[in-house]
Amino acid sequence: YGLYLKGKEDARQRSYVKAAEAFGSCLKQDTNYLPALVEMAALANRRADTASALGYARHALSIDTYEPGANYQFGLARAALGHHSDAKEAFSLAALSPGWRSAANTELAKEYLREKLYDRALASAKESLCSNARNLDALQLCACVQRLRGEAAGADAELAALLGLDPLNHFARFEQYLRGKARAKDFTALLRN
Protein backbone atom coordinates (compact mmCIF):
# COMPACT_ATOMS: atom_id res chain seq x y z
CA TYR A 1 0.00 0.00 0.00
CA GLY A 2 2.92 2.33 0.71
CA LEU A 3 4.23 1.93 -2.84
CA TYR A 4 0.79 2.74 -4.19
CA LEU A 5 0.64 5.95 -2.14
CA LYS A 6 4.10 6.92 -3.35
CA GLY A 7 2.96 6.35 -6.93
CA LYS A 8 -0.14 8.48 -6.39
CA GLU A 9 2.01 11.30 -4.99
CA ASP A 10 4.44 11.05 -7.90
CA ALA A 11 1.54 11.14 -10.37
CA ARG A 12 0.07 14.17 -8.60
CA GLN A 13 3.43 15.90 -9.04
CA ARG A 14 3.49 14.83 -12.71
CA SER A 15 6.50 12.57 -12.23
CA TYR A 16 4.90 9.93 -14.38
CA VAL A 17 7.99 7.76 -14.81
CA LYS A 18 8.47 7.56 -11.03
CA ALA A 19 4.76 6.90 -10.60
CA ALA A 20 4.89 4.03 -13.08
CA GLU A 21 7.88 2.56 -11.24
CA ALA A 22 6.07 2.76 -7.89
CA PHE A 23 2.87 1.22 -9.29
CA GLY A 24 4.92 -1.45 -11.06
CA SER A 25 6.67 -2.33 -7.78
CA CYS A 26 3.29 -2.47 -6.09
CA LEU A 27 2.03 -4.88 -8.76
CA LYS A 28 5.11 -7.07 -8.33
CA GLN A 29 4.06 -7.59 -4.71
CA ASP A 30 0.39 -8.15 -5.60
CA THR A 31 -0.47 -8.59 -9.29
CA ASN A 32 -4.17 -8.13 -8.53
CA TYR A 33 -3.98 -4.85 -6.61
CA LEU A 34 -6.88 -3.11 -8.31
CA PRO A 35 -6.02 0.57 -7.62
CA ALA A 36 -2.49 0.12 -9.03
CA LEU A 37 -3.87 -1.60 -12.15
CA VAL A 38 -6.21 1.34 -12.75
CA GLU A 39 -3.38 3.84 -12.28
CA MET A 40 -1.14 1.92 -14.67
CA ALA A 41 -3.95 1.96 -17.26
CA ALA A 42 -4.29 5.72 -16.77
CA LEU A 43 -0.55 6.26 -17.24
CA ALA A 44 -0.58 4.09 -20.37
CA ASN A 45 -3.50 6.09 -21.79
CA ARG A 46 -1.63 9.30 -20.98
CA ARG A 47 1.30 8.20 -23.14
CA ALA A 48 -1.06 6.85 -25.87
CA ASP A 49 -0.02 3.24 -25.29
CA THR A 50 -3.48 1.79 -25.87
CA ALA A 51 -2.30 -1.82 -25.87
CA SER A 52 -0.88 -1.50 -22.34
CA ALA A 53 -3.86 0.53 -21.19
CA LEU A 54 -6.22 -2.18 -22.42
CA GLY A 55 -4.14 -4.88 -20.74
CA TYR A 56 -4.16 -3.17 -17.35
CA ALA A 57 -7.83 -2.16 -17.64
CA ARG A 58 -8.90 -5.66 -18.68
CA HIS A 59 -6.98 -7.16 -15.76
CA ALA A 60 -8.67 -4.71 -13.39
CA LEU A 61 -12.09 -5.46 -14.89
CA SER A 62 -11.49 -9.19 -14.50
CA ILE A 63 -11.25 -8.52 -10.77
CA ASP A 64 -14.20 -6.10 -10.57
CA THR A 65 -16.34 -5.61 -13.66
CA TYR A 66 -17.95 -2.47 -12.24
CA GLU A 67 -14.76 -0.66 -11.13
CA PRO A 68 -15.43 2.86 -12.47
CA GLY A 69 -11.81 3.90 -12.98
CA ALA A 70 -11.02 0.73 -14.90
CA ASN A 71 -14.12 1.19 -17.06
CA TYR A 72 -13.17 4.79 -17.78
CA GLN A 73 -9.62 3.87 -18.78
CA PHE A 74 -10.91 0.94 -20.85
CA GLY A 75 -13.33 3.33 -22.58
CA LEU A 76 -10.58 5.82 -23.40
CA ALA A 77 -8.41 3.10 -24.91
CA ARG A 78 -11.25 1.57 -26.92
CA ALA A 79 -12.32 5.00 -28.21
CA ALA A 80 -8.74 5.70 -29.30
CA LEU A 81 -8.79 2.46 -31.27
CA GLY A 82 -12.13 3.31 -32.90
CA HIS A 83 -14.18 0.73 -31.01
CA HIS A 84 -16.90 3.19 -30.10
CA SER A 85 -19.61 0.81 -28.90
CA ASP A 86 -17.20 -0.74 -26.38
CA ALA A 87 -16.18 2.76 -25.31
CA LYS A 88 -19.80 3.87 -24.79
CA GLU A 89 -20.56 0.79 -22.71
CA ALA A 90 -17.49 1.35 -20.53
CA PHE A 91 -18.22 5.08 -20.06
CA SER A 92 -21.84 4.25 -19.16
CA LEU A 93 -20.62 1.94 -16.40
CA ALA A 94 -18.08 4.51 -15.17
CA ALA A 95 -20.83 7.16 -15.08
CA LEU A 96 -22.65 5.15 -12.39
CA SER A 97 -20.01 6.31 -9.89
CA PRO A 98 -20.35 9.87 -8.55
CA GLY A 99 -16.59 10.37 -8.71
CA TRP A 100 -16.39 9.50 -12.39
CA ARG A 101 -19.82 10.72 -13.52
CA SER A 102 -18.82 14.08 -14.98
CA ALA A 103 -15.77 12.80 -16.89
CA ALA A 104 -17.54 9.68 -18.15
CA ASN A 105 -20.60 11.60 -19.35
CA THR A 106 -18.33 14.06 -21.15
CA GLU A 107 -16.69 11.17 -22.98
CA LEU A 108 -20.11 9.69 -23.76
CA ALA A 109 -21.16 13.05 -25.23
CA LYS A 110 -18.07 12.98 -27.47
CA GLU A 111 -18.96 9.50 -28.66
CA TYR A 112 -22.53 10.52 -29.48
CA LEU A 113 -21.30 13.66 -31.24
CA ARG A 114 -19.02 11.49 -33.43
CA GLU A 115 -22.10 9.50 -34.41
CA LYS A 116 -24.09 12.70 -35.04
CA LEU A 117 -26.61 11.73 -32.37
CA TYR A 118 -26.97 15.32 -31.27
CA ASP A 119 -29.83 14.87 -28.80
CA ARG A 120 -27.95 12.15 -26.93
CA ALA A 121 -24.69 14.13 -27.06
CA LEU A 122 -26.41 17.16 -25.57
CA ALA A 123 -28.13 15.07 -22.90
CA SER A 124 -24.84 13.45 -21.87
CA ALA A 125 -23.04 16.79 -21.77
CA LYS A 126 -25.84 18.29 -19.66
CA GLU A 127 -25.67 15.27 -17.32
CA SER A 128 -21.96 15.91 -16.98
CA LEU A 129 -22.69 19.51 -16.01
CA CYS A 130 -25.08 18.33 -13.30
CA SER A 131 -22.11 16.63 -11.64
CA ASN A 132 -19.65 19.45 -12.33
CA ALA A 133 -21.07 22.78 -13.44
CA ARG A 134 -17.55 24.03 -14.23
CA ASN A 135 -16.70 21.26 -16.72
CA LEU A 136 -15.34 23.29 -19.63
CA ASP A 137 -15.27 20.32 -22.01
CA ALA A 138 -18.96 19.67 -21.38
CA LEU A 139 -19.81 23.33 -21.93
CA GLN A 140 -17.86 23.28 -25.18
CA LEU A 141 -19.72 20.17 -26.30
CA CYS A 142 -23.06 21.80 -25.47
CA ALA A 143 -22.17 24.89 -27.51
CA CYS A 144 -20.98 22.81 -30.45
CA VAL A 145 -24.08 20.60 -30.45
CA GLN A 146 -26.39 23.61 -30.19
CA ARG A 147 -24.63 25.17 -33.23
CA LEU A 148 -24.89 21.93 -35.21
CA ARG A 149 -28.60 21.69 -34.38
CA GLY A 150 -29.13 25.29 -35.51
CA GLU A 151 -30.18 26.50 -32.07
CA ALA A 152 -28.60 29.95 -31.96
CA ALA A 153 -30.04 31.02 -28.60
CA GLY A 154 -28.89 27.84 -26.90
CA ALA A 155 -25.41 28.13 -28.42
CA ASP A 156 -25.17 31.77 -27.30
CA ALA A 157 -26.12 30.81 -23.75
CA GLU A 158 -23.55 28.01 -23.64
CA LEU A 159 -20.82 30.26 -25.03
CA ALA A 160 -21.67 32.98 -22.51
CA ALA A 161 -21.41 30.44 -19.68
CA LEU A 162 -18.12 29.18 -21.09
CA LEU A 163 -16.65 32.67 -21.41
CA GLY A 164 -17.90 33.49 -17.92
CA LEU A 165 -15.76 30.68 -16.53
CA ASP A 166 -12.84 31.05 -18.95
CA PRO A 167 -12.72 34.50 -20.61
CA LEU A 168 -9.72 33.55 -22.77
CA ASN A 169 -11.27 30.36 -24.13
CA HIS A 170 -10.18 29.92 -27.76
CA PHE A 171 -12.91 27.36 -28.45
CA ALA A 172 -15.65 29.84 -27.51
CA ARG A 173 -14.21 32.57 -29.73
CA PHE A 174 -13.84 30.13 -32.63
CA GLU A 175 -17.46 29.02 -32.21
CA GLN A 176 -18.46 32.69 -32.36
CA TYR A 177 -16.46 33.03 -35.57
CA LEU A 178 -18.11 29.91 -37.07
CA ARG A 179 -21.52 31.39 -36.34
CA GLY A 180 -20.64 34.76 -37.89
CA LYS A 181 -20.65 36.55 -34.52
CA ALA A 182 -16.94 37.45 -34.76
CA ARG A 183 -14.34 38.07 -37.43
CA ALA A 184 -11.39 35.76 -38.02
CA LYS A 185 -9.15 38.59 -36.82
CA ASP A 186 -10.99 38.64 -33.48
CA PHE A 187 -10.25 34.94 -33.05
CA THR A 188 -6.59 35.01 -34.10
CA ALA A 189 -5.73 38.22 -32.22
CA LEU A 190 -5.47 36.40 -28.90
CA LEU A 191 -3.50 33.38 -30.14
CA ARG A 192 0.05 33.64 -28.85
CA ASN A 193 1.73 30.35 -29.73
Side-chain angles (χ1 to χ4, degrees), residues 84-102:
H84 300 294
S85 36
D86 288 347
K88 288 189 298 189
E89 181 181 351
F91 292 137
S92 295
L93 286 169
L96 296 174
S97 167
W100 289 92
R101 187 165 293 142
S102 182

Side-chain angles (χ1 to χ4, degrees), residues 32-67:
N32 293 323
Y33 189 59
L34 190 60
L37 289 167
V38 173
E39 293 297 333
M40 288 297 277
L43 290 174
N45 271 328
R46 177 176 287 284
R47 63 179 187 273
D49 182 358
T50 52
S52 291
L54 282 173
Y56 287 117
R58 279 190 175 123
H59 188 163
L61 291 170
S62 73
I63 297 166
D64 181 358
T65 304
Y66 299 103
E67 161 54 40

Side-chain angles (χ1 to χ4, degrees), residues 11-165:
R12 236 187 318 275
Q13 294 177 7
R14 296 184 181 169
S15 282
Y16 300 121
V17 173
K18 287 182 181 178
E21 289 170 1
F23 294 135
S25 296
C26 183
L27 289 171
K28 282 180 186 172
Q29 290 180 5
D30 180 0
T31 58
N32 293 323
Y33 189 59
L34 190 60
L37 289 167
V38 173
E39 293 297 333
M40 288 297 277
L43 290 174
N45 271 328
R46 177 176 287 284
R47 63 179 187 273
D49 182 358
T50 52
S52 291
L54 282 173
Y56 287 117
R58 279 190 175 123
H59 188 163
L61 291 170
S62 73
I63 297 166
D64 181 358
T65 304
Y66 299 103
E67 161 54 40
N71 273 295
Y72 184 79
Q73 297 305 326
F74 183 81
L76 289 177
R78 293 305 278 176
L81 293 171
H83 299 251
H84 300 294
S85 36
D86 288 347
K88 288 189 298 189
E89 181 181 351
F91 292 137
S92 295
L93 286 169
L96 296 174
S97 167
W100 289 92
R101 187 165 293 142
S102 182
N105 278 317
T106 299
E107 294 301 322
L108 269 174
K110 290 176 187 179
E111 291 298 320
Y112 290 131
L113 182 59
R114 267 188 206 102
E115 295 175 357
K116 298 183 180 182
L117 298 172
Y118 300 133
D119 292 339
R120 294 184 89 174
L122 186 60
S124 292
K126 292 285 188 184
E127 184 69 27
S128 177
L129 289 169
C130 289
S131 301
N132 176 7
R134 300 178 65 84
N135 183 335
L136 299 180
D137 286 340
L139 285 169
Q140 289 175 177
L141 284 163
C142 287
C144 181
V145 169
Q146 299 278 16
R147 175 181 52 83
L148 292 170
R149 289 172 42 170
E151 297 176 4
D156 286 339
E158 300 297 348
L159 291 175
L162 185 56
L163 288 168
L165 291 172

